[in-house]
Structures are given as C-alpha cells and as structure tokens.
Amino acid sequence: MKIKPFSIYSHGNTLRGIILIPSNITYPCKTVIVSHGFASNMLITSPYTKPFTDAGYIAVLYDFCMSGSGISSGKSTGMSVITEKENLIDLIDYIKKLDFTDENHISLAGCSQGGLVSALAGAQREDEIEAMFLYYPALCIPDDARRGHMISAKFDPKQIPDTFYAIAIKLSNKYAYDAQELDPYKEICAFRKPVLIVHGIEDKLVDIKYSRKARDKYFNCKLIEIHGDHGFIKKGLCESNRATADFMQKML
C-alpha cells in the first residue's frame, strides 16, 4: 500500500489528507473519498477504507477545514455543514484531475456529519459521482438545530449565542444557522444513483428513523440495519465493512 500525502486550497484554508493506493492495481483506478464526522478526523475514519482498498479502489482520507480536530487549517468557529460540503466539492475537483484516478468512477463515503456532507455534495455533483456509502449519517442535524439541542449544546434556536461548545469543539452560530436552513431530504434525494446506508440500531446520537426515511426517499438505496452504536466504536464496524463489500460486488 502506498500512502501519498496531499494538500489543497479550499475557500481560504488548507485542506490536508492522504491517498491510499493499493499495490498491483491498474491506472486509472476507481476511487472513494471518505469523510469523517463531527469532532473526528481521518485517522478515526481510516478503518472504513478496508473494503474499498481490498476491492482495488484508491481511498482518499482527509480532515475538513475548521473542524476543530485534524491537520487541516482554520478555526472551528467558521465551520458548518455547508463549509464542509464546499471542502468536499473542492476535493472532488482535485481528485478528478489526478492521473491515477478514474474520473468516471468516483464514490463518496461518509460517517455521521460526514455522511450528511457527502449526501449533500453527491446530490450537487450527481453526474460526477458513481455511488454513495453513508454510515450512520447525521441527517438529524437540521432538526437538532431547529430545536436548539445539538449533541451536548443547548440553546434558544431563535436566539443562538455567538459561540457555544458541542463536546469540546467551539462553534459559532453559523454552524446552527446554516443547519436550520437545510431541508436534507429535499436536497439529498435528488441523487438517483446507488446509495448504501449502514446504521446501528443501538445508535443513541442519530436515531435510525432518519436513515429509514432516507431509504424511502432515495431512488436507489439499500439500508442495512446492524447491531452497533454511533461510530461503531463498541460493535458494528466489521459487519459494516462486510455490507460495504457485498454492496460493491452486487451493485457496482
């Protein structure tokens, strides 16, 4: 396995990551871009690349700008789901131009908030994306912002403070206001290509009902419900990877 670091300019910040290139593959190669969740980073998300690299895909891992964690630049008070979508679109444009990637076979994968971001970017760039793989996608974020309870943060949704903390990440009201404006199902379900969602039935942070609704709204979506918590920290990662490998074999 070759590991190729990269950095790109994205909306005033530097986005950094790595490209995993399996040995003995023929270029240009199918590629998947894997997006991490809130208060996470590419190291935590890296186990999700295994079914892809095993299947001969190039896997791209990166840290969102302004995420509050990871190695990309920017203050977390500037971050929102919308800025992360912009980061991902910039990254898609970069990956398409590499001489070892096949621009006709680029997929998106994302965990939690990275799943919502991937879904938004995929719908915006549907012609350029082959498939999406969404792991416990945080489609609840807009509802959470409208009710004033986002992860550990609580606030008046009509008078959001200038800054607040969610877990240990300092956010500005831009994070909540941008989320409040989203109608996720209207925006993401324009995507008509294959979508896999894997969600743990023991998830306490993102109710599985959001993924069930997405399954019903998407044109071509398979939802796999497994035993697992949010993040598949205690249980679920191995079963999720098996579901991913099976989906790729049957659908792609």
Side-chain angles (χ1 to χ4, degrees):
M1 179 81 68
K2 296 179 182 179
I3 301 177
K4 179 180 175 61
F6 72 90
S7 65
I8 65 171
Y9 179 83
S10 179
H11 287 73
N13 289 290
T14 301
L15 184 151
R16 300 183 177 94
I18 58 174
I19 301 173
L20 306 180
I21 305 175
S23 302
N24 302 320
I25 59 174
T26 301
Y27 299 147
C29 189
K30 289 186 175 183
T31 303
V32 63
I33 302 173
V34 184
S35 299
H36 66 77
F38 183 85
S40 185
N41 56 59
M42 63 179 173
L43 293 178
I44 294 174
T45 312
S46 60
Y48 292 84
T49 64
K50 187 177 188 310
F52 297 103
T53 55
D54 285 351
Y57 278 62
I58 288 171
V60 181
L61 290 163
Y62 70 105
D63 292 329
F64 283 112
C65 298
M66 304 181 289
S67 67
S69 58
I71 60 174
S72 294
S73 71
K75 294 182 179 180
S76 59
T77 48
M79 181 267 290
S80 75
V81 170
I82 301 304
T83 67
E84 292 195 341
K85 181 190 74 171
E86 292 169 346
N87 288 162
L88 179 50
I89 287 174
D90 288 342
L91 183 54
I92 292 169
D93 289 338
Y94 170 74
I95 293 300
K96 284 175 59 181
K97 295 177 182 177
L98 298 176
D99 57 8
F100 51 83
T101 60
D102 185 345
E103 67 175 350
N104 296 314
H105 295 283
I106 295 177
S107 294
L108 302 180
C111 301
S112 194
Q113 180 167 296
L116 172 57
V117 171
S118 297
L120 291 169
Q124 185 169 327
R125 291 292 188 91
E126 181 186 16
D127 291 345
E128 303 164 56
I129 302 303
E130 183 174 32
M132 289 197 295
F133 301 81
L134 310 178
Y135 306 104
Y136 40 92
L139 300 171
C140 60
I141 288 176
D143 281 351
D144 291 348
R146 286 188 279 267
R147 68 189 179 95
H149 188 179
M150 306 186 79
I151 312 175
S152 62
K154 294 183 180 180
F155 49 80
D156 181 345
K158 296 182 179 179
Q159 292 183 322
I160 304 170
D162 290 342
T163 61
F164 59 94
Y165 281 87
I167 310 177
I169 306 297
K170 186 178 182 180
L171 303 168
S172 75
N173 53 19
K174 173 181 175 58
Y175 180 84
Y177 283 132
D178 279 0
Q180 286 181 343
E181 294 299 314
L182 286 174
D183 182 349
Y185 298 102
K186 180 179 179 180
E187 296 188 43
I188 72 175
C189 292
F191 189 84
R192 298 175 68 83
K193 295 177 182 178
V195 178
L196 172 69
I197 301 176
V198 185
H199 206 131
I201 59 177
E202 290 85 17
D203 192 331
K204 302 298 183 183
L205 187 60
V206 178
D207 195 311
I208 199 171
K209 71 180 183 182
Y210 286 94
S211 287
R212 290 170 178 163
K213 183 175 180 179
R215 172 199 58 200
D216 295 338
K217 294 287 187 178
Y218 270 121
F219 177 76
N220 184 5
C221 179
K222 184 176 183 64
L223 170 63
I224 303 294
E225 300 186 13
I226 65 175
H227 286 287
D229 55 342
H230 190 78
F232 301 151
I233 297 170
K234 296 180 179 179
K235 187 176 183 181
L237 180 60
C238 290
E239 191 171 351
S240 174
N241 282 347
R242 284 194 295 268
T244 299
D246 183 63
F247 184 81
M248 285 192 292
Q249 184 178 22
K250 292 181 178 179
M251 297 296 294
L252 305 178

